Structures are given as structure tokens and as C-alpha cells.
Amino acid sequence: NLKTRKPEPWKKDQVALAKSLGLPSKPPEGQYLTIPPKPEFVRTFTYSKTISSKHIDGFGHSNYNVYLFGILDGILKAQQEGILKGFGSEDIRGSFLSEVSIVYQGEALEGETIQFTVWNMEEDARHFQARVTKGQELLTFAALRFGTDVLKPKL
């Protein structure tokens, strides 16, 4: 809904259109990333960014890529400051992003300040999770995994 800026159930004509195109009329069950609670037992890195006009899309709010690039910047900054585990002597610039799952929960508008919090998953130094928040409001949760040149798929 462009007025409320919130998703709504599909109307009958939208469901019919999806079916005529061979698309599912509703999302498949169990295909969503669940948002775990913020870990209290791992080292996290947080930094803030104020949304500027260059971050705004045609709908008047920050584009989703602001969140993803902010998370990637946070991982790199945390590694450079020695807060998060790295990849040996390398940082994420020596790797490629092999998996990313993102749950978008909210939007940020021009002039608002958002926080990026990132952390390693304890069992795998190449697996990160992140939260993007505005005050206490969760805007985005993401899980990212990086590969190496050895594991890089051949295209």
C-alpha cells in the first residue's frame, strides 16, 4: 500500500494474475529467515549513519541497498579495528559474498540516523549476522556468508 507503506494481502485480481503467469499465489511455507534475538554473548560492532538525499529512492525512503552496503561496511570496519574475527591475514575484501538472506522490517527517511550492528557467528568466522535499527525499531536483519577464492564457483 503506497499510502501506509505496509504490505497487504493480495486482492483477488492479483492472485488470479499470479496464477495465470504460473507464479505462486502465496509465498511457500518455511521459506523465510527467522530473526533470532540479538546475541548477548558475542562481540558486536556498531556504527551509525545518517540517511542523506543520495540514499533515498523513488518512494522517498532509504533504498534497501543502503542497509546491505552499510552492513558490509560495518563488517570491514570491525575487522580493521580487530573487533571481529577476520579471515586470517585478510579481510572481507579478499573474499566474495556467497550467501545473503535479508529480512526488511522498516524504512528510514532522509535525515534519520540508523545503527548497524554486526557480529560473527561463533562456529564460523566467515558467517556474520547483522541488525539495522532506528532507535529501538528493527529495520533489517541479515545473515551473510563469505567464500574464498578456493571455494569460488566457476561461471
Side-chain angles (χ1 to χ4, degrees):
N1 183 314
L2 294 177
K3 289 182 183 177
T4 65
R5 315 223 9 103
K6 301 291 179 194
E8 294 181 341
W10 281 6
K11 296 179 175 121
K12 288 182 182 180
D13 59 329
Q14 292 169 314
V15 171
L17 176 62
K19 285 182 179 179
S20 73
L21 295 172
L23 301 172
S25 58
K26 65 179 186 176
E29 296 293 323
Q31 296 294 312
Y32 297 101
L33 177 67
T34 55
I35 302 173
K38 182 177 176 183
E40 301 298 329
F41 55 90
V42 297
R43 292 181 69 180
T44 62
F45 176 79
T46 301
Y47 81 100
S48 298
K49 178 183 223 167
T50 300
I51 300 300
S52 70
S53 60
K54 70 180 180 182
H55 302 124
I56 301 300
D57 65 14
F59 293 109
H61 59 79
S62 59
N63 193 285
Y64 67 90
N65 63 12
V66 172
Y67 300 151
L68 179 58
F69 288 119
I71 290 167
L72 293 171
D73 287 345
I75 293 169
L76 182 59
K77 289 176 184 187
Q79 288 180 324
Q80 290 171 338
E81 293 183 22
I83 295 170
L84 297 182
K85 296 176 193 172
F87 303 89
S89 60
E90 300 177 8
D91 57 36
I92 64 171
R93 291 175 291 189
S95 298
F96 68 97
L97 187 57
S98 61
E99 290 179 47
V100 61
S101 297
I102 298 181
V103 178
Y104 298 102
Q105 298 284 106
E107 62 188 12
L109 305 175
E110 185 174 352
E112 293 181 331
T113 300
I114 59 178
Q115 297 75 39
F116 297 87
T117 302
V118 299
W119 61 92
N120 278 104
M121 296 307 294
E122 287 296 313
E123 66 276 3
D124 183 354
R126 294 180 178 277
H127 183 192
F128 296 86
Q129 290 187 347
R131 287 177 173 262
V132 181
T133 55
K134 180 174 61 177
Q136 296 298 313
E137 179 187 0
L138 177 66
L139 301 179
T140 296
F141 171 79
L144 303 93
R145 186 179 309 276
F146 290 86
T148 65
D149 288 338
V150 174
L151 300 174
K152 196 174 208 176
K154 293 187 168 55
L155 303 177

